[in-house]
Amino acid sequence: MTITDVARHAQVSTTAVSKVLRNAGGVSEAMRAKVRAAIDDLGYRPHNAARAMRGRTFTIGVLLPHIRNPFFADIIDGLTDEISASGYQAIMVQSGGRDPAAERRASDALVDRQVDGVFWVAPACARAQLEQLADDTPLVVLGRHDRSSRYDCVLDDDEVGAELAVEHLIGLGHRRVAHITDSLRSRSTALLQTIRAATYERVMTEHGLAEHIAVASTSYTEEGGYEGTRELLSRDPRPTAIFAGSDQAAFGALAAVHEAGLTVPGDISVAGYDNARVTGLAHIALTSVDQDGALMGRTAGRLLLERIGGRTAAVRFSVTPTLVTRRSTAPPDPRLEGRTPDW
């Protein structure tokens, strides 16, 4: 099946069919509908290799650290909503997230498939590797705080978000507030986990609570949150609140608290970061920092389409986070904080 067959079935020129397939201008809506109907009738599917020879494959490569994080689903929903009207499809690859060599293999695999652009979520590699990719393929990066003239960035104001979470817990009366971070933070000050951890320490210090700073450096995963919380619970005195650097880590924290025979928030308050949709479920009800993953995904899609269309000036888009409070955080039991109860 070729575009000649589609043109004959729709009774239009092959040029018109080509314009519809490329989502180009110069075609009326009536003709566009006619061509689309013919494509559906015939089951025509453009051949990617042939489209690549003409300049585009209408595919966007998406690199995710892993596919277990529910927050990534919010981002991808936003991305696909934005690019679908332009005829683009997303190809998702798991990059490994912690191994720059594995990240390079994943990005090379997408380039080999001749994607028109790459959307890279939370890369751990050096900026030089990102710029090398951007020199040949339009690139939008999500979650990095470094600046480059060669690619676009979509990011959350992680300092504001972390401050919201820690201030909330301190405002409830907690003094022994602990933090679960990702061990990747040691690699670069541009990584979001580095900024969230540094902000936690700064806010604690500003409130005169430096002696209570307690950081478990594991990973932004359920396993990391679980292991980090077990480590924190073994300390004496144990914390009365935990700020996990991601919702996934917070889920692991909830499991560890439950396993220890403690309650949330009766014994320990837990707050996360991302506000993934599952955090609002009644049996989880996790207090979390909302960075609007769908908006970030839509914005990344728009910027990437602009890059593919020829824009070369770098764009940096920052989301201002908000705090969504739920049942996982509450004032501490005065006896746990070593104070005399009011009652």
Side-chain angles (χ1 to χ4, degrees):
M1 193 67 64
T2 67
I3 64 170
T4 301
D5 299 311
V6 174
R8 186 180 299 114
H9 189 81
Q11 297 182 324
V12 299
S13 68
T14 55
T15 300
V17 175
S18 177
K19 286 183 176 181
V20 171
L21 291 173
R22 291 183 287 111
N23 202 33
V27 181
S28 68
E29 285 303 316
M31 183 173 290
R32 195 178 298 276
K34 197 173 183 181
V35 171
R36 289 292 180 195
I39 289 172
D40 291 341
D41 289 345
L42 297 176
Y44 171 75
R45 188 165 64 88
H47 192 274
N48 266 353
R51 298 179 90 177
M53 291 176 65
R54 294 193 295 270
R56 290 190 184 179
T57 61
F58 285 86
T59 55
I60 286 174
V62 179
L63 280 166
L64 299 172
H66 52 80
I67 59 174
R68 297 186 302 275
N69 191 334
F71 179 61
F72 294 159
D74 299 340
I75 296 172
I76 299 304
D77 280 349
L79 174 77
T80 53
D81 285 348
E82 183 67 30
I83 67 174
S84 59
S86 299
Y88 274 87
Q89 295 291 325
I91 298 175
M92 280 167 275
V93 175
Q94 184 169 277
S95 68
R98 307 181 72 82
D99 180 1
E103 286 188 320
R104 181 178 292 278
R105 289 193 297 271
S107 64
D108 287 348
L110 289 175
V111 172
D112 290 345
R113 283 161 178 75
Q114 298 179 299
V115 294
D116 294 335
V118 172
F119 173 42
W120 200 331
V121 178
C125 62
R127 185 178 69 179
Q129 185 173 327
L130 296 174
E131 290 181 334
Q132 184 180 19
L133 172 62
D135 286 343
D136 299 316
T137 306
L139 174 65
V140 175
V141 173
L142 186 143
R144 287 280 289 256
H145 286 257
D146 44 9
R147 295 177 180 272
S148 174
S149 61
R150 304 186 199 177
Y151 55 81
D152 296 339
C153 292
V154 176
L155 61 149
D156 167 65
D157 192 331
D158 291 291
E159 185 171 2
V160 169
E163 185 167 347
L164 285 171
V166 182
E167 289 282 3
H168 167 67
L169 294 170
I170 294 174
L172 288 173
H174 294 278
R175 293 182 299 166
R176 297 198 302 275
V177 179
H179 178 53
I180 299 174
T181 188
D182 192 302
S183 58
L184 284 177
R185 72 181 180 125
S186 61
R187 289 190 182 176
S188 170
T189 57
L191 297 179
L192 58 88
Q193 45 267 59
T194 306
I195 295 171
R196 293 175 190 176
T199 302
Y200 155 75
E201 294 180 1
R202 173 180 62 78
V203 174
M204 290 288 285
T205 301
E206 289 174 352
H207 282 271
L209 301 174
E211 63 179 303
H212 297 301
I213 290 175
V215 178
S217 186
T218 54
S219 64
Y220 277 1
T221 63
E222 289 184 38
E223 296 83 0
Y226 175 81
E227 292 300 332
T229 300
R230 290 189 63 186
E231 175 194 330
L232 294 169
L233 293 180
S234 69
R235 301 186 184 188
D236 187 17
R238 69 170 185 251
T240 62
I242 295 175
F243 164 44
S246 74
D247 285 344
Q248 252 203 312
F251 297 153
L254 293 174
V257 171
H258 176 74
E259 184 181 272
L262 302 173
T263 63
V264 174
D267 295 303
I268 298 180
S269 287
V270 177
Y273 203 115
D274 288 335
N275 198 38
R277 293 183 185 181
V278 294
T279 59
L281 296 177
H283 66 289
I284 299 176
L286 178 70
T287 292
S288 184
V289 178
D290 182 12
Q291 53 179 331
D292 201 337
L295 172 62
M296 297 175 91
R298 289 195 301 271
T299 303
R302 175 176 59 81
L303 295 179
L304 200 46
L305 291 177
E306 291 174 2
R307 278 275 182 181
I308 293 169
R311 175 174 55 77
T312 56
V315 173
R316 184 180 173 89
F317 180 88
S318 180
V319 172
T320 301
T322 58
L323 183 70
V324 179
T325 57
R326 299 188 178 95
R327 294 196 308 274
S328 68
T329 55
D333 185 328
R335 293 169 295 188
L336 296 176
E337 286 284 0
R339 299 195 300 269
T340 301
D342 294 335
W343 37 268

